[in-house]
Amino acid sequence: MRGATHAKWAACAVAVALGATACGGGSDSGADRGDAGIISSSWGDPQNPLEPANTNEVQGGKVLDMLFRGLKRYDAKTGEAVNMLAENIETTDSQNFTITLKDGWKFSNDEPVTAASFVDAWNYGADVRNKQNNSPFFADIVGYDDVHPKSGEPKAKTMSGLVVKNDKTFTVALKDKFSTWPVTLGYQAFSPLPKAFFTDHAAWLDKPVGNGPYLVDSYTKGTGMKLRKWDGYTGADKAQNGGVDLKVYTDNNTAYTDLISGNLDLVDDIPAQQLKNVKNDLGDRYINQPALIIQTLTFPLYDPQWSKAGMEKVRLGISRAINRDEITKQIFRETRTPAKDWTSPALGEKGGFSETLCGDACVYDPAQAKKLIQEGGGLPGGKVTLTSNVDTGSHRDWMDAVCNSVNNALSEGPVCTVNPIGTFADFRNQQSSYKLTGPFRSGWQADYPLIQNFLEPLYYTGASSNYGKFSNPDFDRLVDEANRDSDTAKATATFQEAEKILAEQMPSIPLWYQNGSAGYSERISDVALNQFSVPVYDQIRVV
């Protein structure tokens, strides 16, 4: 899952000041929000409808995190996967699991959460006919290939590896040993679904029904979503506020301006242009902390001009032409750190982070950059174009800086140019339909705190977020071997062996690790970001 926020600067600032809703998620005044205990927060439109198995980007993920609770949940401070709806997840061989649910859980429409709620949801997510982005997360389950064949119609409607034993118990058979599989079950793709999802799917999409601490009150695409506290929620993490108004911005500078002027309570992506001011503006209401996030540039290896023999040298050369140290200092100040591998320092060394794995391939060296690009046959057509959405994350700023670095290193004129795309949704649509012909931004916010999650979903052949279509049999073999290993230290070392292949082939260029950053108003307290940099909305209080 990955990120954005957003709007046109002057026009939206005026609109918000006048109380218009074109740039936000509703018309509540500050006083109205205070009376109701409602928080307002910046947001960006999700790419897809909010089906758990179809949402693999940050903006939709924020909502699912408020609407659903799964078998596991990741501790906001430590990232540890702790049982939520699961009473027990038992196995004797790391391949066959028996899952028992806790009593008392229900959906907000009063349907009970049962074993079938999970099994039906997972089967729906895996079924090729439903075209769910997160289908590959179910690929480890026996029978997945029958419901999700590489071509043609499915041979079955359900995966044989999922069996409901009773209302509280189901079993899962995996194709191979996967020792850390239970840790993945906090990811939102594994959320349960009520029967209403299947009996009236269109109505559910209009107003999703979950089992988390919030309800969807309304959603207007391009404007915002209103979520309200669900009083019937029985989990320990009850909402400490009356609800959250998520307001769509197409420029996070506007969101920041609204925060400072008192028209917004929370911004969870401080724009780079404001980093020089944010400590003075907000004091201790500014949060800046490490997160499980890395920004990369991914090459479209589905395009022959980028994947032909020898182009790995060109890709390595481009990496060596990027002055990460200078860019992170000048643009991002203390919120980004030059990348030295394809994971995140937030994993820690025991978790698989490495200071040295990328090695020289991530070190700025103009002479070597030129040499490698020439040895590889040169830039395709003599140029390279970088693509990203530019509505959030200061992406236009860093893309310009990266191109300046490349152009200065190669001394061949403006061979590197920028292709800005106005909105995150439009960028994601082009990315996921494989329409991009040059390197594109691939920010990755981990789904769960494992090195496996930084590698397999992005670089394994046919994986859910492998938008560059990288494919390497040795990489796949090592990932499979690591997943089977019940010794965590050995598994981590094997994942790092797979990661060394990325350093040789450079299917994506590691740019920098990203901190979670946020700022909030004096109206609210108890604001925190989890390890994925997402606000822990349910614990925020209105003062």
Side-chain angles (χ1 to χ4, degrees), residues 1 41 72-73 237 277 301 408 479 505 512 523 527-528:
M1 292 173 52
S41 180
K72 295 269 189 180
R73 186 160 176 79
D237 54 338
N277 306 317
L301 300 183
N408 291 336
V479 167
Q505 296 294 314
W512 36 76
R523 280 189 74 244
V527 181

Side-chain angles (χ1 to χ4, degrees), residues 325-338:
D325 288 330
E326 184 176 280
I327 292 170
T328 52
K329 286 176 183 175
Q330 290 190 356
I331 295 179
F332 296 116
R333 295 177 181 260
E334 299 173 355
T335 64
R336 306 289 189 276
T337 307

Side-chain angles (χ1 to χ4, degrees), residues 117-145:
S117 306
F118 286 95
V119 169
D120 291 347
W122 296 5
N123 278 320
Y124 178 89
D127 194 324
V128 67
R129 293 168 297 186
N130 297 325
K131 300 178 179 178
Q132 300 289 283
N133 280 324
N134 288 326
S135 290
F137 280 91
F138 306 103
D140 299 296
I141 299 172
V142 171
Y144 175 81
D145 294 335

Side-chain angles (χ1 to χ4, degrees), residues 3-307:
T5 3
H6 323 282
K8 277 185 183 170
W9 207 100
C12 283
V14 172
V16 172
L18 294 175
T21 62
C23 303
S27 57
D28 297 316
S29 68
D32 291 338
R33 288 188 282 112
D35 292 344
I38 307 300
I39 300 159
S40 62
S41 180
S42 60
W43 190 49
D45 273 319
Q47 180 190 16
N48 299 308
L50 293 169
E51 297 167 299
N54 202 33
T55 298
N56 63 349
E57 42 75 30
V58 170
Q59 303 306 328
K62 291 176 185 176
V63 178
L64 293 182
D65 192 54
M66 290 190 270
L67 294 182
F68 286 95
R69 291 294 180 263
L71 295 169
K72 295 269 189 180
R73 186 160 176 79
Y74 303 116
D75 183 273
K77 293 182 180 179
T78 67
E80 180 186 0
V82 295
N83 282 352
M84 195 70 186
L85 269 70
E87 184 70 50
N88 292 299
I89 301 177
E90 299 173 313
T91 183
T92 58
D93 59 4
S94 296
Q95 187 170 356
N96 296 281
F97 296 83
T98 298
I99 298 173
T100 306
L101 303 182
K102 294 177 181 176
D103 288 323
W105 282 87
K106 63 180 180 177
F107 294 100
S108 60
N109 63 355
D110 282 334
E111 285 185 38
V113 179
T114 66
S117 306
F118 286 95
V119 169
D120 291 347
W122 296 5
N123 278 320
Y124 178 89
D127 194 324
V128 67
R129 293 168 297 186
N130 297 325
K131 300 178 179 178
Q132 300 289 283
N133 280 324
N134 288 326
S135 290
F137 280 91
F138 306 103
D140 299 296
I141 299 172
V142 171
Y144 175 81
D145 294 335
D146 292 332
V147 301
H148 200 107
K150 292 181 180 178
S151 61
E153 288 297 307
K155 298 176 183 178
K157 294 182 178 179
T158 59
M159 292 180 283
S160 57
L162 294 178
V163 178
V164 174
K165 296 296 186 180
N166 54 53
D167 279 351
K168 286 185 60 181
T169 310
F170 67 104
T171 59
V172 184
L174 303 183
K175 297 174 187 175
D176 295 295
K177 294 181 184 295
F178 188 171
S179 60
T180 55
W181 183 74
V183 177
T184 72
L185 298 178
Y187 181 42
Q188 291 149 349
F190 295 102
S191 298
L193 288 170
K195 292 178 181 177
F197 176 90
F198 305 98
T199 57
D200 195 344
H201 193 214
W204 191 95
L205 291 179
D206 284 341
K207 187 173 284 192
V209 172
N211 66 322
Y214 291 94
L215 310 166
V216 175
D217 182 65
S218 64
Y219 173 42
T220 304
K221 189 172 179 61
T223 298
M225 176 178 288
K226 294 184 177 184
L227 297 110
R228 296 296 179 260
K229 177 180 179 179
W230 175 32
D231 291 330
Y233 180 69
T234 57
D237 54 338
K238 294 177 182 292
Q240 301 300 306
N241 50 70
V244 181
D245 285 351
L246 297 173
K247 299 189 174 187
V248 172
Y249 287 85
T250 54
D251 181 348
N252 60 349
N253 280 290
T254 307
Y256 185 83
T257 301
D258 282 353
L259 171 66
I260 299 304
S261 62
N263 291 319
L264 192 68
D265 292 322
L266 176 62
V267 172
D268 66 347
D269 183 10
I270 302 297
Q273 296 93 321
Q274 303 297 340
L275 292 175
K276 63 182 181 294
N277 306 317
V278 66
K279 289 182 179 179
N280 287 332
D281 288 343
L282 299 175
D284 60 5
R285 289 181 286 112
Y286 168 54
I287 300 172
N288 177 31
Q289 66 185 47
L292 291 162
I293 302 175
I294 185 172
Q295 292 286 342
T296 64
L297 275 176
T298 294
F299 290 93
L301 300 183
Y302 49 82
D303 188 327
Q305 67 177 350
W306 284 108
S307 60

Side-chain angles (χ1 to χ4, degrees), residues 121 283 355 407 502:
E355 288 262 5
N407 291 333
L502 303 183

